[in-house]
Amino acid sequence: MPCLKIGFVMDPIEAIRTEVDSTYLIMLESQRRGHEIFYMTVPDLYLHTQTPMATSRAIRVFRGKEYFRLGDETLLCLNDLDVLFMRKDPPFDMDYCIATLILSMVHTKTLVINSPQGLRDCNEKVSVLRFPELIPETIVSRQISVLQKFLQEMNGEMIVKPLDKSYGRKILYVHKNDSNANTLLEMATKEESRFVMAQRYLHEAAQGDKRIILLNGEPIGAVLWLPPQNSFDRPPIRIPWHEAKTELTERECVVCRTIAPFLKKNGLYLAGIDMIGGCLIEINITSPTCLHEINALNQDCLESKVIDFVEEECRK
């Protein structure tokens, strides 16, 4: 395979945790195969008329304490890249949205993972509503009265989450008998100024939350996140979890097959779906992670499969 020029838009490299960061693994594998890799952050992106540009640096990555070395800062035309990974973590704020608009100007000959328009159009939380037969009862609202009514309909238990966060940040468990229930809803919606998603609380969460990684619509690995023992009486979102090896159930395979056309249509080549008790909870597309954990549990190398896909697409 000829040497490819591969760019990575990501969070500041000096702040990542290499033991869990999936982008770092993909960079390592790209470099191992002899490809040139370039590093940039969202503030580095800009448009010059119709030309997408970035203040970028060539980068070398390594295993160990000193895990990266940056080259000199240079102006890079993104159209000159063969592949561009958009791996900036949420929040999905206005800066993130503008970044996707800039990346939408990249020439079609450059493979962008994931599609900027797909990232913009398919909110990680709201997009599950396209598949009502796969998800728990769910609403999106900023009205406390609507959320209170939904809470009663859900037998007094629900999960409330923001639409623009990741890693379980600011997820709340709300129970009708909690004297602070109304306060929690005010906090979640910022006093009815922010939309949130509310879902029926799934007691099956005590048996784990499964992350499944999909590459071009096909599942390539999974990990089961489990709460500690003897904690089933508490909402799992409030306690630490640990990973466990797992296999896909027939129901989970059906879910993967059902959403695959949607992922492919929207250029969402690399995704991570979350499932609890056979229900689809989220479709993570901004910077899906867990490659480290799945590799360790299964003696696998998911980043190799990702770069196999990239190379195959670039041959077309």
Side-chain angles (χ1 to χ4, degrees), residues 128-129 131-138 199 251 279-281:
V128 300
L129 293 168
F131 308 98
E133 73 281 12
L134 305 179
I135 66 175
E137 292 89 336
T138 301
Q199 292 180 317
R251 165 68 174 179
C279 289
L280 177 65
I281 303 301

Side-chain angles (χ1 to χ4, degrees), residues 256-281:
C256 291
R257 289 195 296 269
T258 301
I259 69 172
F262 163 77
L263 296 174
K264 292 182 179 181
K265 177 182 177 182
N266 288 281
L268 303 172
Y269 303 104
L270 188 57
I273 65 172
D274 294 331
M275 296 194 63
I276 296 176
C279 289
L280 177 65
I281 303 301

